[in-house]
Amino acid sequence: MSSQAIGTILVLAVLGGGGYFGYRTWFAGEEVPVTPTPRVEAPSPEAPKFEPRVVKSGFAADEKLVPREDRFELPDGTWALALNGVKNAGKLEWPRDRPYAPIVERVLQKDGVERYKHADGSFSWTQLQFRADLGRMDSVTVLANPTKALPMLPEEIEANTKR
């Protein structure tokens, strides 16, 4: 017997058996018991928790060693390294009604941005920002001073509770 004939017989046998089984299941109303396979969950490796990287050290940039494009001026006349790959950052503008607080830490935060933390809890940093008036990315120096929360108007409270 040739291998082609054996192959044909096997195919017919498989199709015939499948047809018989399908006929008995559909038309005879017999239920085929299904045993569920127990689900085994593989232990997931614990995702490492993000720990902000904090550096506590001197933050003044020496004017003789660090090129001007790699640093920015602080309100007390000293210089600090520009952060986040920024070149030619502007001077840090500090509010006149608030005494300048020196830098105490350099922090890499979860969003990937490096920031300087000041003694009063303020944060300052340099970053690139798209400027529509220039039509390109430009360096900016950002300051975030902590303030007390302002009270909300009654209609604002109501709108927030309806969300």
Side-chain angles (χ1 to χ4, degrees), residues 24 115 142:
R24 293 205 19 109
R115 293 179 172 93
V142 184

Side-chain angles (χ1 to χ4, degrees), residues 1-69:
M1 195 181 261
S2 73
S3 62
Q4 187 176 9
I6 294 174
T8 304
I9 292 171
L10 285 174
V11 168
L12 289 175
V14 168
L15 289 176
Y20 175 74
F21 179 74
Y23 166 78
R24 293 205 19 109
T25 304
W26 276 115
F27 300 109
E30 291 182 24
E31 291 186 19
V32 178
V34 177
T35 56
T37 326
R39 184 176 179 171
V40 178
E41 292 189 28
S44 62
E46 283 191 34
K49 289 184 179 180
F50 177 80
E51 298 276 337
R53 188 175 66 208
V54 177
V55 176
K56 294 182 181 187
S57 141
F59 297 101
D62 188 354
E63 297 175 47
K64 296 173 187 159
L65 300 176
V66 180
R68 168 61 187 101
E69 65 266 11

Side-chain angles (χ1 to χ4, degrees), residues 61-84:
D62 188 354
E63 297 175 47
K64 296 173 187 159
L65 300 176
V66 180
R68 168 61 187 101
E69 65 266 11
D70 293 336
R71 55 188 162 90
F72 69 104
E73 190 176 357
L74 301 173
D76 63 357
T78 61
W79 296 81
L81 290 175
L83 301 175
N84 306 307

Side-chain angles (χ1 to χ4, degrees), residues 17-162:
Y20 175 74
F21 179 74
Y23 166 78
R24 293 205 19 109
T25 304
W26 276 115
F27 300 109
E30 291 182 24
E31 291 186 19
V32 178
V34 177
T35 56
T37 326
R39 184 176 179 171
V40 178
E41 292 189 28
S44 62
E46 283 191 34
K49 289 184 179 180
F50 177 80
E51 298 276 337
R53 188 175 66 208
V54 177
V55 176
K56 294 182 181 187
S57 141
F59 297 101
D62 188 354
E63 297 175 47
K64 296 173 187 159
L65 300 176
V66 180
R68 168 61 187 101
E69 65 266 11
D70 293 336
R71 55 188 162 90
F72 69 104
E73 190 176 357
L74 301 173
D76 63 357
T78 61
W79 296 81
L81 290 175
L83 301 175
N84 306 307
V86 170
K87 300 286 186 189
N88 298 314
K91 181 179 179 176
L92 177 63
E93 298 293 337
W94 199 268
R96 292 181 187 184
D97 62 340
R98 185 181 198 113
Y100 173 68
I103 297 171
V104 293
E105 293 178 346
R106 180 175 171 177
V107 181
L108 173 65
Q109 295 186 324
K110 193 172 190 171
D111 60 0
V113 177
E114 282 188 303
R115 293 179 172 93
Y116 286 122
K117 184 174 182 181
H118 295 261
D120 68 347
S122 298
F123 282 93
S124 63
W125 66 96
T126 55
Q127 69 181 36
L128 291 175
Q129 179 74 39
F130 181 77
R131 298 258 317 261
D133 59 329
L134 299 176
R136 62 177 168 82
M137 298 295 281
D138 197 23
S139 61
V140 294
T141 304
V142 184
L143 174 65
N145 295 115
T147 59
K148 291 182 180 179
L150 295 174
M152 295 176 73
L153 297 172
E155 53 268 13
E156 290 176 316
I157 294 171
E158 185 179 334
N160 282 331
T161 55
K162 288 183 180 180

